[in-house]
């Protein structure tokens, strides 16, 4: 655990250095962008190597290595991962080389998404780390690859729509949709993420009229979080659906005694994440009573509200797994909030919002790292490529 905390401290120092540059007005100089991108690329390479050369760190990694060495895959493993694993294995690359390739696809996708949409690269990297995207990739690398590809698809579509002001019927948006499809073939849960993204965009266009809606979202989420911490409504709903046959593929993960125990057990950390993020939305809603963010930031916040509701459900691994698709985009969203032009001269609001962002992401870090998700420590590095 000390290793992960040391990395966090280093990233926070990099961010603090970037703040010095901000106060020095270097952001207006073109070289600032070049340096920021160079730092982002270097950090991405380091994170890729850290994840790719993890050896047998992570519970699922041992299973992935077994797939790689035997050529036998569980029936639920998606075709894109099977093909990729079989290709590298057939060409006698080491398992470490394969894992580095998977990590490269994951984090290069996220890096390009950050380049497209983030207002401050270092802040996004710090929040990305607090939301444990690298740490989760030490274990569930297959889903996190899907998360990375999905994130880039969303970034391409939003960049095309909100920044370039073009219609969704363009080559860039179509590439985004193809990336959704590719992510689906690495992990089928991507389908739910794409559905939520599509619904959030439709609802945003239909019902969203003013920033004060975030206040209502925060209050509703706060209420739901408190109520669902006392009852198992969502789990009971899932069991009803599973019994009807619609979730037959996942019945063993819902209906067994061990699954019931895991899904109905309440986590204090998840509860506090729901509470603090609800308060963050309430604060944003209060700020938006007299101010309004740009359309891109508004939509990303509206989309993030679905992450908030998923966390509020408190159905342990299900809410966790669905929530992972939001994590890289949350790092981008919060950078667009804190470094937004309308907050430039509103230092107090900026401090308050930054505080709640760090509290809620810090709780997530505690939930994953201190909880030792997927046996992420001790870190068992394998620096041999043979």
């Amino acid at each position: 655990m000390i290793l992960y905390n040391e990395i966090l401290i280093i990233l926070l120092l990099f961010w603090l250095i970037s703040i010095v540059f901000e106060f020095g007005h270097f952001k207006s100089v073109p070289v600032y962008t070049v340096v920021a991108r160079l730092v982002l690329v270097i950090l991405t390479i380091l994170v890729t190597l850290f994840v790719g050369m993890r050896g047998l760190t992570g519970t699922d990694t041992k299973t992935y290595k077994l797939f790689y060495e035997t050529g036998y895959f569980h029936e639920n493993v998606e075709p894109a991962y099977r093909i990729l694993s079989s290709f590298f294995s057939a060409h006698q690359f080491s398992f470490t080389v394969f894992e580095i390739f998977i990590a490269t696809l994951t984090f290069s996708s996220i890096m390009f998404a950050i380049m497209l949409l983030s207002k401050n690269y270092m802040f996004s990297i710090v929040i990305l780390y607090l939301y444990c995207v690298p740490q989760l990739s030490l274990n569930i690398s297959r889903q996190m690859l899907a998360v990375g590809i999905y994130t880039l698809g969303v970034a391409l579509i939003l960049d095309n729509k909100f920044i370039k002001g073009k219609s969704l019927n363009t080559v860039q948006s179509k590439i985004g949709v193809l990336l959704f499809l590719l992510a689906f073939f690495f992990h089928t849960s991507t389908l739910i993420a794409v559905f939520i993204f599509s619904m959030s965009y439709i609802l945003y266009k239909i019902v969203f009229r003013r920033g004060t809606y975030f206040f209502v979202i925060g209050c509703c989420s706060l209420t739901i979080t408190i109520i669902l911490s006392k009852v198992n409504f969502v789990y009971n709903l899932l069991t009803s659906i599973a019994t009807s046959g619609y979730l037959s593929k996942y019945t063993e993960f819902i209906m067994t005694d061990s699954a019931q125990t895991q899904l109905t057990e309440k986590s204090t950390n998840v509860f506090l994440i729901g509470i603090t993020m609800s308060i963050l939305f309430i604060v944003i809603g209060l700020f938006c009573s007299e101010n309004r963010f740009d359309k891109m930031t508004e939509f990303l916040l509206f989309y993030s509200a679905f992450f908030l509701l998923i966390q509020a459900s408190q159905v342990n691994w299900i809410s966790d797994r669905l929530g992972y698709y939001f994590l890289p985009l949350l790092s981008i969203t919060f950078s667009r909030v804190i470094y937004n032009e309308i907050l430039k001269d509103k230092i107090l609001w900026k401090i308050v919002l930054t505080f709640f962002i760090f509290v809620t992401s810090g709780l997530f870090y505690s939930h994953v790292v201190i909880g030792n998700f997927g046996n992420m420590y001790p870190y068992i590095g394998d620096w041999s490529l043979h």
Side-chain angles (χ1 to χ4, degrees):
M1 186 171 70
I2 294 174
L3 172 64
Y4 301 106
N5 292 336
E6 288 174 343
I7 294 172
L8 175 60
I9 291 170
I10 292 170
L11 291 177
L12 285 169
L13 287 174
F14 270 101
W15 175 57
L16 290 173
I17 291 170
S18 75
I19 291 176
V20 173
F21 274 82
E22 290 285 336
F23 279 107
H25 302 293
F26 284 102
K27 192 172 182 180
S28 60
V29 182
V31 72
Y32 179 90
T33 304
V34 174
V35 171
R37 288 185 176 178
L38 180 61
V39 170
L40 177 61
V41 170
I42 292 172
L43 288 175
T44 301
I45 292 172
L46 292 175
V47 168
T48 298
L49 293 175
F50 176 72
V51 173
M53 306 184 81
R54 67 187 178 276
L56 293 179
T57 307
T59 306
D60 286 9
T61 305
K62 298 176 181 65
T63 304
Y64 292 141
K65 187 174 184 180
L66 184 64
F67 292 160
Y68 192 80
E69 292 176 343
T70 64
Y72 169 78
F73 296 88
H74 189 277
E75 61 181 5
N76 289 336
V77 175
E78 289 78 4
Y81 187 85
R82 292 188 189 207
I83 292 169
L84 206 55
S85 179
S86 299
F87 174 83
F88 273 77
S89 179
H91 288 78
Q92 298 184 331
F93 289 104
S94 69
F95 180 67
T96 299
V97 171
F98 172 64
E99 288 297 289
I100 290 173
F101 182 77
I102 293 293
T104 300
L105 289 179
T106 303
F107 291 102
S108 61
S109 297
I110 294 172
M111 179 193 71
F112 284 121
I114 289 174
M115 280 187 177
L116 279 173
L117 303 183
S118 176
K119 290 278 190 180
N120 185 286
Y121 300 159
M122 272 313 307
F123 187 78
S124 288
I125 288 293
V126 170
I127 301 301
L128 188 77
Y129 189 79
L130 282 171
Y131 274 121
C132 297
V133 173
Q135 297 92 316
L136 292 167
S137 299
L138 296 173
N139 184 45
I140 51 171
S141 57
R142 182 165 55 93
Q143 184 182 358
M144 296 315 291
L145 171 57
V147 168
I149 295 171
Y150 165 80
T151 300
L152 181 56
V154 170
L156 287 172
I157 292 171
L158 295 184
D159 172 70
N160 185 68
K161 178 62 180 177
F162 289 105
I163 295 179
K164 294 178 180 175
K166 297 181 180 179
S167 70
L168 295 177
N169 188 29
T170 61
V171 173
Q172 183 169 319
S173 292
K174 290 176 181 177
I175 292 174
V177 173
L178 287 175
L179 287 174
F180 289 164
L181 187 62
L182 178 60
F184 172 79
F185 284 117
F186 277 107
H187 209 279
T188 53
S189 60
T190 305
L191 182 63
I192 301 174
V194 172
F195 174 76
I196 293 172
F197 173 71
S198 303
M199 289 303 300
S200 64
Y201 181 79
I202 292 169
L203 288 172
Y204 173 78
K205 298 295 288 185
I206 293 174
V207 305
F208 197 89
R209 293 292 178 270
R210 55 183 64 88
T212 49
Y213 284 13
F214 294 127
F215 178 84
V216 177
I217 290 171
C219 289
C220 290
S221 174
L222 187 63
T223 304
I224 292 170
T225 300
I226 294 171
I227 292 174
L228 293 185
S229 69
K230 306 296 182 183
V231 299
N232 294 313
F233 170 77
V234 178
Y235 173 75
N236 293 334
L237 179 63
L238 286 172
T239 55
S240 297
I241 297 173
T243 304
S244 67
Y246 287 107
L247 292 176
S248 56
K249 182 179 177 180
Y250 301 100
T251 299
E252 62 180 296
F253 301 112
I254 299 173
M255 301 295 291
T256 62
D257 291 339
S258 59
Q260 181 180 4
T261 301
Q262 186 179 20
L263 290 172
T264 56
E265 183 181 2
K266 303 301 181 182
S267 166
T268 302
N269 264 336
V270 174
F271 172 73
L272 291 175
I273 290 168
I275 294 293
T276 54
M277 198 165 177
S278 297
I279 294 172
L280 172 62
F281 267 75
I282 290 171
V283 173
I284 290 172
L286 291 172
F287 174 74
C288 289
S289 63
E290 297 180 358
N291 307 274
R292 187 153 189 179
F293 290 109
D294 57 276
K295 294 291 185 181
M296 167 79 81
T297 305
E298 251 186 9
F299 170 73
L300 283 170
L301 281 169
F302 186 76
Y303 172 70
S304 300
F306 286 86
F307 170 78
L308 180 54
L309 294 174
I310 288 170
Q311 293 302 299
S313 71
Q314 300 171 72
V315 191
N316 284 347
W317 71 264
I318 293 180
S319 55
D320 285 342
R321 288 293 186 127
L322 289 178
Y324 296 156
Y325 285 94
F326 291 82
L327 301 181
L329 290 167
L330 282 174
S331 74
I332 292 170
T333 304
F334 291 150
S335 78
R336 295 188 65 88
V337 170
I338 299 303
Y339 289 89
N340 204 285
E341 284 297 317
I342 64 173
L343 273 169
K344 187 175 181 180
D345 300 317
K346 298 177 174 63
I347 303 301
L348 182 59
W349 278 109
K350 194 168 187 174
I351 291 172
V352 171
L353 289 169
T354 303
F355 171 78
F356 279 108
I357 287 170
F358 273 104
V359 169
T360 189
S361 57
L363 284 167
F364 196 95
Y365 180 83
S366 171
H367 176 58
V368 174
V369 175
I370 296 178
N372 192 21
F373 171 85
N375 291 327
M376 66 172 61
Y377 55 82
Y379 178 84
I380 312 168
D382 181 359
W383 306 100
S384 171
L385 300 180
H386 301 292

